[in-house]
Structure formats: structure tokens, C-alpha cells
Amino acid sequence: MKYVLLICDDESRSPSNEELAADPVHQAWLADLQRRDVRLYGLRLRPVETATSVRVRDGETLVSDGPFAETKDFVGGLVVIDCADLDEAIAIAAGHPYARWGGVEIRPVWE
Amino acid sequence: MTASVDDVRAAVDAAYRDEWGQVVATLIGLIRDWDLAEDCAQEAFASALETWPRDGIPKRPGAWLTTTARNRATDRLRRDAAGREKLRQLAVLAEPVPEPDEIADERLRLIFTCCHPALPFEARVALTLRTLAGLSTVEIAKAFLTAEPTMAQRLVRAKRKIAEAGIPYRVPPAELLPERLAAVLAVLYLIFNQGYDEHDGDRALTAEAIHLARVLVQLMPAEPEPRGLLALMLFNEARRASRTDDGVLVTLEQQDRSAWDQAMIAEGVAVLDQALAIRRTGPYQVQAAIAACHATAADSASTDWPQIAALYAQLARLAPSPVVELNRAVAVAMSDGIAAGLALVDELAESGRLDGYHLLPATRADLLRRDGRVAEAKVAYEQALRLAPTDAERRYLSSRLHSL
């Protein structure tokens, strides 16, 4: 089954890409993905201060600064995996470094 | 070999009680479609009522029902194109009806799937009651004090999530077992308490919870906590007849001990001994040990309070909660003196962790009463009365207040 992992946190800590790559937890996580052969795609988003939201209401385009949703945690990246079932997706999500301070939301892909 | 209508009715009722979960579990295992499995199981039981009077009651009703339900499912799947495709993928046709041992395994899978942590807690309980115990949506809604459509929605959503989010139909691997088993045990205990806390009690629910705990014990003999939970339920159930008197709660101290079910208590002691022999203590075993102290005391005066206080201290370490602390305070009051117990209660009250919980002032009131501090006890009983959630408890508290 295909799942998207939404990697979320409140952005109170924001490791650089280099720091993240050097994090042993991140390295272990990547190794786990490779071993399982489940990763299809992944990307990291820039912080939410760079976000712009667009809405169209009554034919008028409204552009505003900031994220669409007002929540404590923001999506900071996403990973697409193709694995056996939800339990494997949970095991993978639990290994992601952000699971330690933020959280990982698992969403099945509509296929 | 015909059978009388009464015999058939009794046999079908017994089969429903004992085999419903097995039939449904086996079908879900074969066709992976919860609704179809339940429908076909339902039809198989209906068909038993029609054919058993003519053909006789089969030697293995469970196997008969499973075969009939499977044939129904196969027919239904054959009828539409998507179903035919599904039939090709599944082993429904080829597979013989599993032997009882394998069925037991199916039921375990079903319990763990119903109690998957990715499902909301209430949905886990509802789904377990529906698929394993065969309770109707109306019955489950009643137990939860919700409207039937709300409960139906909840069940539909839970089944949909199992299918669409890919919750696997299996017993989790060893490393996940402790965490998942805890959820399963919590669901079973909640089902039990749902039936136990009710004003007059719902025997069907407590019986079902005990039955499911037995299944779990049988399926996971090396795990001590299912036995702990089973023993705990047996001790509580054994005291049922003496728990209320005309709708008024009767405290343990004042219960008529001759009304306790001694056979059930003896079984609880044996089951708890088996659990403790595994030597991995958990919260259910400790709670069962506390219940055993009460259940086996000849009278209220000879209750082993120091032992109970020690067990509550252990429980507070294993499963910390302010309610456990409150119970420990009572046990300490009974073993070390009221002043020691009251000090613990006051400490709890100051922490604010039990604000709004009626048993905190009720416990204080009781200790003050025992200590002869009548005026203070009255104030505490009044406080407790304002917070008490059920009629039985309000009646008990006001009778206590007026006896002062």
C-alpha cells in the first residue's frame, strides 16, 4: 500500500540539512528505508514563514502570507512509501528523527 | 434424525454465544470483507433455525455454521464481477473449513485487529463487541448511552479505516505485543466495567468480557496479564449479588459475604496463582491480588489491609494514577491508622489532580466519620453528593450523611 508520511513539528527547532543528514537517527532511518525498499519519493519543505496561501472566493483570488491552517504543528516534509500495511508504515514513521520532537502523520494514498 | 424446535432453538442460542466470534473471524480471514462476513454469518445462523429441525443438530455446530456462511459468501461473490475477481485472489473456495485450533488463532487476529491503536478507543470497544461477541448495534449503543445511528456510524468508520488505511488482519509481532496486548486488555476491562457499573448491572456484558478474557488466556498461555485480568473480573463478578440493595450501593465492608460466589472466587485464586507463577508482574495481576485479599477475607475485620496497602503502592509504581493513590490512602488508613490515611488524602486534594472527582470528598468523609469528626465529615459528604454521577451513589452518600 502507498502512504504519505507528513513530517510535522512546531519549527521551534530547525536543524540545517547538513545537521539533519549527520544525525545518527536520520542515518539509521534512511538505512531502514533502503533495507525495506519502500521509499518512492521524499522532500523537505522550507519553514512555514516562507509559506503563501491562496484562496479563491466569489471568483476573487485572495493571497495571504503564512500557512493555510492554524495549527501547532506544520508539515515540514513528506515522504511517499509503498509498504505492506499500516503496521509497517507505523514502524517506519517511528524511526524518523522528527517523531522524537514533532510527529509523523501517516496518510494512505487514494489509489 | 429430526430435532425438536426447542432443542434447535437452544442449540442455536448456545452456538451464537460460543461460536459467533469464531464463525465471523474465520470468514474475515477468508474473504477479508467485514460486512460480508457478518452478513453471511447472520444468514448461516438463520439457516440453522430452518434446517436443523429437519436434518438434526450437527455434531460440530461451529463447523456447520462456518461452512454454510462460507458457501453464502462464495455465492454472493460469484454474483458480481468485482466479487469474481476477489474470489480468484482469495483462497475461499479451495480452503477447507479450519480446525478448531486454527480458528482460535483467527479469533486472536480478530481481537487484535479490532483493538488496533490506530482506531479510536470507543471504536475498538464497539468493534470488539460487534464482531467477537455478536452484540447488535442497538445493544452496543445502549451500553455506551449513545444513539444507535451514532454507534452505527462509528462502526462503519472503523471498518472503513481498517480497509482503507491498511490495518493488517493479524496478531502483531512479538516486539509490538506488550503495547497492543495492553490495548486489548483495556478494551476487555472496559466492556466488563460497562456491564458492572450499571445500576443493576448488565450480566450479558460482564459475561462476554469474562468469556473473551478466557479466550485470550487460552490463546496466549505464556502471557501473565490476560490471566490477571480474568482473575480480577472473576473476583468482582463473584460479589455482584451483594453490591447493591434496592438500588443503593453497599460498601465492601457491609456486603453480605454469604452471597458471594465461592466457586468463582476459587477459580479466580487459581487463575491468579497461574499468572503469578509466570513471574512478570503487571497492573492487572496486582489489581487481581488486591481483589483476592477482599474476596478471601472471612469478614471485613480480618481483611489483610497492610498487604492491600503494599499492593496499592506496587500498583502506583506500575500504573501511576491519582485514583490508585486515593485507594492506597484508604488502605493505609485501615492498616496504619486514620491519621496516616487522611494525610495522604489531603495531599492528593491539594495537588488538584482529582478536582471534581466525587470519590475524593467521599473518601475523606468516610475517614473523618470513622475518626469521630462528625461536623467535618458532614461537609465532605455534602461536597461528594454534589459531584456524584449516579443515583445509586447519591442514595448511598445521602444515607451516610443522614446517619451522622
Side-chain angles (χ1 to χ4, degrees):
Chain A
M1 283 194 54
K2 286 202 183 80
Y3 297 92
V4 173
L5 308 183
L6 302 173
I7 316 297
C8 307
D9 73 342
D10 61 5
E11 297 192 350
S12 61
R13 69 198 263 190
S14 146
S16 69
N17 285 340
E18 291 72 25
E19 283 165 348
L20 198 56
D23 179 350
V25 177
H26 191 245
Q27 287 167 351
W29 182 69
L30 288 174
D32 183 47
L33 285 182
Q34 192 147 30
R35 188 179 55 77
R36 293 175 186 267
D37 190 24
V38 296
R39 189 174 190 256
L40 299 179
Y41 187 65
L43 43 79
R44 186 178 186 199
L45 306 183
R46 286 187 186 273
V48 80
E49 65 184 32
T50 63
T52 304
S53 295
V54 178
R55 298 166 176 81
V56 176
R57 297 287 182 274
D58 298 327
E60 192 182 347
T61 304
L62 306 165
V63 177
S64 61
D65 170 52
F68 185 80
E70 275 186 47
T71 54
K72 193 174 79 61
D73 288 341
F74 304 106
V75 176
L78 54 90
V79 181
V80 184
I81 55 172
D82 189 356
C83 65
D85 53 42
L86 186 64
D87 280 356
E88 190 176 15
I90 290 171
I92 291 166
H96 193 277
Y98 273 56
R100 289 170 302 163
W101 65 81
V104 179
E105 182 176 324
I106 303 169
R107 297 282 292 271
V109 172
W110 205 307
E111 284 184 285
Chain B
M1 210 191 70
T2 56
S4 83
V5 174
D6 283 349
D7 286 351
V8 167
R9 173 47 78 181
V12 172
D13 283 349
Y16 195 86
R17 204 172 51 241
D18 300 337
E19 322 263 11
W20 170 264
Q22 295 190 350
V23 176
V24 172
T26 308
L27 275 217
I28 292 175
L30 291 170
I31 59 181
R32 299 296 149 100
D33 182 327
W34 288 56
D35 289 327
L36 184 59
E38 282 185 281
D39 282 356
C40 294
Q42 205 69 262
E43 285 176 24
F45 278 90
S47 156
L49 280 176
E50 281 168 30
T51 53
W52 291 3
R54 189 185 65 225
D55 302 346
I57 297 162
K59 268 202 209 79
R60 289 169 54 208
W64 187 96
L65 289 160
T66 307
T67 307
T68 307
R70 184 193 59 181
N71 293 341
R72 294 279 166 134
T74 314
D75 289 345
R76 289 240 224 139
L77 286 169
R78 269 206 200 104
R79 260 182 253 146
D80 70 316
R84 281 196 294 278
E85 176 54 31
K86 200 168 178 183
L87 268 182
R88 260 194 296 280
Q89 293 165 5
L90 299 168
V92 190
L93 289 169
E95 210 128 318
V97 168
E99 288 299 305
D101 289 355
E102 300 167 47
I103 293 174
D105 187 51
E106 285 295 331
R107 265 215 287 192
L108 192 57
R109 283 204 227 180
L110 189 57
I111 293 186
F112 276 97
T113 307
C114 290
C115 295
H116 197 282
L119 295 172
F121 192 77
E122 287 210 331
R124 287 184 222 165
V125 182
L127 207 54
T128 306
L129 285 171
R130 176 97 191 96
T131 46
L132 264 143
L135 260 63
S136 72
T137 311
V138 184
E139 287 171 306
I140 301 169
K142 207 176 137 230
F144 278 97
L145 306 174
T146 38
E148 194 200 342
T150 314
M151 188 47 74
Q153 257 303 335
R154 202 173 281 161
L155 284 163
V156 166
R157 252 187 245 135
K159 285 182 200 163
R160 202 189 294 149
K161 178 156 185 187
I162 288 171
E164 293 177 0
I167 291 178
Y169 184 68
R170 63 164 184 176
V171 179
E175 73 271 15
L176 294 177
L177 210 50
E179 169 204 345
R180 301 279 166 97
L181 180 60
V184 170
L185 295 173
V187 164
L188 295 193
Y189 195 35
L190 195 90
I191 291 170
F192 180 85
N193 285 329
Q194 195 80 44
Y196 197 65
D197 285 343
E198 291 241 332
H199 175 49
D200 288 319
D202 184 336
R203 242 166 232 275
L205 277 184
T206 53
E208 193 49 45
I210 289 173
H211 172 67
L212 291 174
R214 282 188 206 283
V215 173
L216 211 55
V217 166
Q218 189 194 327
L219 297 171
M220 305 171 84
E223 287 293 329
E225 281 288 87
R227 288 181 203 271
L229 177 63
L230 175 59
L232 175 59
M233 289 176 177
L234 290 169
F235 289 133
N236 288 343
E237 183 72 6
R239 298 198 298 251
R240 172 196 283 285
S242 56
R243 267 183 89 232
T244 53
D245 183 13
D246 270 344
V248 182
L249 216 60
V250 180
T251 56
L252 199 53
E253 194 185 350
Q254 291 169 326
Q255 286 178 15
D256 171 14
R257 286 173 194 241
S258 68
W260 291 359
D261 185 332
Q262 290 304 325
M264 216 178 254
I265 291 171
E267 193 198 348
V269 170
V271 171
L272 179 59
D273 281 347
Q274 290 163 358
L276 295 174
I278 300 173
R279 300 200 154 275
R280 268 188 288 136
T281 314
Y284 291 107
Q285 291 168 79
V286 178
Q287 290 178 78
I290 293 167
C293 285
H294 289 301
T296 57
D299 51 55
S300 172
S302 57
T303 305
D304 188 351
W305 287 107
Q307 169 79 357
I308 293 175
L311 286 166
Y312 271 119
Q314 194 183 3
L315 186 59
R317 279 193 301 276
L318 287 169
S321 95
V323 175
V324 170
E325 289 297 337
L326 185 63
N327 288 323
R328 186 169 80 87
V330 173
V332 167
M334 300 301 283
S335 66
D336 299 354
I338 290 176
L342 266 176
L344 290 175
V345 174
D346 289 340
E347 211 176 289
L348 254 177
E350 272 164 42
S351 77
R353 288 191 298 163
L354 284 178
D355 281 355
Y357 185 56
H358 70 289
L359 287 180
L360 180 77
T363 304
R364 251 193 109 238
D366 195 51
L367 294 180
L368 289 166
R369 179 185 60 81
R370 283 169 198 271
D371 211 20
R373 292 153 72 177
V374 175
E376 289 167 87
K378 275 187 178 165
V379 175
Y381 273 126
E382 278 159 4
Q383 251 181 317
L385 253 173
R386 281 195 294 276
L387 296 170
T390 68
D391 283 341
E393 275 162 305
R394 271 190 291 275
R395 273 186 226 117
Y396 165 72
L397 289 167
S398 60
S399 78
R400 268 295 152 97
L401 178 61
H402 295 307
S403 73
L404 281 176

